């Protein structure tokens, strides 16, 4: 599973990032949907005064929340594309009509079929691929009726975060559908077409949680993400994922990636998760560590990263505080 970019050979060439999310989207903590108005806090980690106001429309709120979080870590805001909305909405409707777990493919002959793959569905909606292009898709399915909450769960789930925080995307479209049992699907399709986005400056990393972020949830329920990023059988509750992100196809080499509670003498034991499909030969362009146990509440954690980005030695230190 990957994001790749290549020069299109005719109209049918496109690169697809396919990630699946099941159940509540991998979030930890409580599963209730927050309520908000323009003047109220949703209670999410690191929220500031520039947070979007909740509209009550899952597709709009989820899309706005993705852009808000990207902006917080220095990534470009994705332009809303109504054609991509059609593809994303069609896929949310397909999942609702067939009452299925989140999937990135559709079966011909089933209700609401609009295309087997993400690229097929975008072309069917009228999107024309040209030049260098990349596309990605993330899906949440939950009893939550909050687009903010569903998008935040996608950011918590590390493989989905790798897609959402790809610096070189330029556009986004989204759609949502709700079943009669109040089970909601949220689909977001991200793209760069006819050339990739500007991305980050050369040999630069951005990080999540960002430096100084507060109220970070201490845990992550890894069984809610597919594929499960935690390899140990029987492990579900782990610590909140911590990640670094570079531009698409900029190689990142991890030499050291650690986290410890402030004042502690030892680093926490962690799993390392990479945005890499070794079998397909794709470059490592992002990396994460996941603490093996839930973090302590109300605690500041110091993170250190050292390695190379596109061959340039790079080190970062930052901190965040749990709720």
């Amino acid at each position: 599973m990957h994001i790749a970019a290549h020069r299109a050979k005719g109209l049918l060439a496109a690169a697809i990032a396919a990630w699946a999310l099941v159940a509540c989207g991998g979030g930890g903590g409580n599963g209730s949907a927050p309520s908000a108005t323009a003047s109220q806090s949703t209670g999410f980690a690191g929220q500031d005064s520039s947070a979007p106001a909740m509209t009550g429309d899952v597709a709009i709120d989820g899309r706005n929340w993705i852009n808000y979080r990207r902006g917080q870590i220095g990534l470009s805001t994705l332009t809303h594309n109504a054609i991509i909305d059609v593809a994303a909405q069609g896929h949310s409707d397909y999942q609702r009509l067939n009452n299925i777990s989140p999937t990135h493919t559709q079966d011909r002959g089933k209700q609401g079929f609009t295309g087997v793959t993400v690229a097929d569905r975008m072309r069917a909606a009228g999107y024309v691929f040209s030049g260098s292009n990349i596309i990605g898709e993330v899906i949440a399915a939950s009893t939550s009726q909050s687009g903010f909450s569903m998008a935040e769960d996608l950011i918590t789930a590390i493989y989905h975060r790798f897609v959402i925080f790809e610096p070189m995307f330029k556009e986004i479209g989204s759609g949502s559908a709700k079943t009669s049992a109040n089970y909601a699907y949220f689909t977001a399709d991200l793209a760069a077409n006819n050339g990739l986005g500007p991305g980050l400056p050369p040999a630069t990393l951005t990080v999540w949680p960002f430096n100084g972020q507060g109220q970070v949830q201490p845990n992550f329920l890894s069984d809610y993400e597919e594929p499960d990023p935690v390899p140990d059988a029987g492990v579900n509750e782990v610590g909140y994922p911590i990640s670094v992100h570079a531009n698409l196809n900029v190689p990142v080499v991890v030499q050291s990636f650690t986290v410890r509670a402030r004042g502690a003498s030892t680093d926490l034991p962690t799993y390392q998760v990479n945005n890499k499909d070794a079998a397909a030969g794709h470059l490592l362009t992002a990396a994460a560590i996941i603490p093996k146990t839930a973090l302590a509440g109300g605690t500041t954690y110091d993170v250190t990263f050292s390695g190379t980005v596109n061959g340039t030695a790079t080190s970062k230190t930052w901190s965040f505080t749990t709720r």
Side-chain angles (χ1 to χ4, degrees), residues 8 77 92 94 180 243:
T77 297
S92 287
Y94 170 86
S180 59
S243 56

Side-chain angles (χ1 to χ4, degrees), residues 254-274:
V254 179
Q255 296 170 344
S256 176
F257 198 172
T258 63
V259 59
R260 69 172 61 182
R262 181 160 295 176
S265 59
T266 58
D267 298 326
L268 298 180
T270 60
Y271 303 100
Q272 184 167 318
V273 181
N274 297 332

